[in-house]
Amino acid sequence: MQVNSEHIDKWLALQSDLGRAANTVAAYSYALRDYQKFCSALNTCVNTASREHVAQYVRNLLDRCVVKMDSDGSRQGVFANATVRQRITVVRLFYDYLVEEGLRTTNPVGRGSRLGGRYRRDVRAVVPIQHKMPWIPNEEEWQKLLSEACAMSLRNRLMLALAYDAGLRREELCLLHTEDIDPSFRLLHIRAETTKGNRDRIVPYSACTGQLLRDYLVFRRQLTNARGALFISESSRNFGIPITIWTWSKVIRALGNAACLPKFSTHTLRHLCLTDLARSGWELHEIATFAGHRNTSTTLIYIHLSGRELAAKLASASSIHGSRMEAIKGAFQ
């Protein structure tokens, strides 16, 4: 198996040298090590595995999607459909590398048949794509979350407010620097290296978030005068160290459990923000720009989720987004 590890290591090093994000390379490594372990169990060399072996690996992944029941009665798997597809995509990319290096003649993970020199879009994928609407809390659930959030620290309350107010991804939020804030215009600079699409963007935040930010900056100066990471640890073990994305995930998981909403995640606040913007009548391209979406097909999810056509018939003069921020302000004061 040393040959397998050697080429896997070289391919992962190549991805890192090409500027792939550290989390992306880590995900690639985890997927390939899992595939390598599966091949080892079959006494098969990764480099020479066939389509049959890949098919067995897909079956193995699907079998590991152990079905369980959520609290709301819906069926959930340990592996999401997207996770299975991501694992197979990594394996396909690795075999592309082996073919390019002359170590194989064919890629056992097919992309579909060709027709007239082009890939057919109607060919069934190795693992069919499942399009599911993201979960967002209703008004009653949102109030439960806010009620529980009042007991959180000032830092965590600010992070929750920013995550919703500016529609930030987990990495974008946790990797904010003090230099990224423009308090005079209430703007955040989301740096390209922290984003999923590797593109800068500028997003606004509300006045009530600004108040939380001012209070937190006063508190932060009691911890450290150093510039850099905006959100730092207050624990004695990691005092003054920038918090990690895993720390924020634990905070959100604890909040969701306290509110009896296990589906609540770090990405839920972004989903909710973009849905509320669609409900408030923002245009598709405006939401896409705000969210940093490269493809507006991603943004369309929130347009559909918002029930925008029905909302238009019940048009209200007030902004849903604005009223929700007022609710945050009232709960946190």
Side-chain angles (χ1 to χ4, degrees), residues 79-143:
F79 282 175
N81 172 263
T83 302
V84 176
R85 289 189 291 108
Q86 184 257 0
R87 296 282 181 92
I88 298 303
T89 298
V90 173
V91 173
R92 173 174 58 77
L93 292 174
F94 175 67
Y95 279 126
D96 279 344
Y97 164 76
L98 294 183
V99 171
E100 291 170 1
E101 293 295 309
L103 299 172
R104 286 186 65 104
T105 57
T106 60
N107 188 330
V109 186
R111 288 182 174 82
S113 61
R114 285 180 175 270
L115 183 65
R118 297 180 180 178
Y119 289 114
R120 289 175 53 186
R121 294 183 180 274
D122 60 340
V123 174
R124 183 180 177 89
V126 175
V127 179
I129 300 174
Q130 297 176 0
H131 297 284
K132 294 184 179 180
M133 288 291 191
W135 175 85
I136 58 172
N138 58 33
E139 289 306 310
E140 180 182 353
E141 292 168 335
W142 173 248
Q143 292 302 324

Side-chain angles (χ1 to χ4, degrees), residues 204-310:
Y205 58 87
S206 304
C208 54
T209 300
Q211 181 60 56
L212 283 170
L213 178 59
R214 285 191 293 272
D215 294 343
Y216 173 70
L217 290 177
V218 172
F219 173 73
R220 185 183 181 279
R221 281 195 289 271
Q222 299 173 15
L223 304 178
T224 178
N225 289 321
R227 299 182 69 83
L230 176 62
F231 300 114
I232 57 177
S233 173
E234 302 165 22
S235 70
S236 57
R237 186 177 61 177
N238 299 310
F239 188 81
I241 301 298
I243 69 165
T244 67
I245 58 176
W246 313 116
T247 298
W248 180 234
S249 292
K250 290 178 182 177
V251 169
I252 289 297
R253 188 181 304 115
L255 176 59
N257 290 337
C260 299
L261 296 172
K263 286 187 176 182
F264 184 63
S265 71
T266 56
H267 217 60
T268 300
L269 294 164
R270 176 174 165 87
H271 287 318
L272 183 60
C273 172
L274 300 183
T275 301
D276 284 346
L277 294 181
R279 287 167 172 166
S280 300
W282 280 41
E283 296 297 330
L284 179 63
H285 72 277
E286 294 173 332
I287 301 175
T289 300
F290 181 87
H293 287 158
R294 230 179 247 277
N295 192 331
T296 54
S297 63
T298 303
T299 315
L300 280 171
I301 294 173
Y302 305 99
I303 303 295
H304 296 155
L305 193 63
S306 70
R308 181 174 173 180
E309 293 78 12
L310 294 177

Side-chain angles (χ1 to χ4, degrees), residues 162 165-169 172 176-177 179-195 198-206 270 273-274 277 282 285-293:
L162 270 177
D165 198 8
L168 301 181
R169 299 180 179 94
E172 295 170 350
L176 279 174
H177 281 190
E179 295 85 354
D180 296 333
I181 306 169
D182 183 354
S184 58
F185 293 97
R186 294 206 304 267
L187 296 174
L188 294 176
H189 174 212
I190 311 302
R191 288 170 286 116
E193 60 268 27
T194 70
T195 68
N198 296 316
R199 292 191 298 176
D200 282 19
R201 72 180 189 278
I202 304 294
V203 294
Y205 58 87
S206 304
R270 176 174 165 87
C273 172
L274 300 183
L277 294 181
W282 280 41
H285 72 277
E286 294 173 332
I287 301 175
T289 300
F290 181 87
H293 287 158

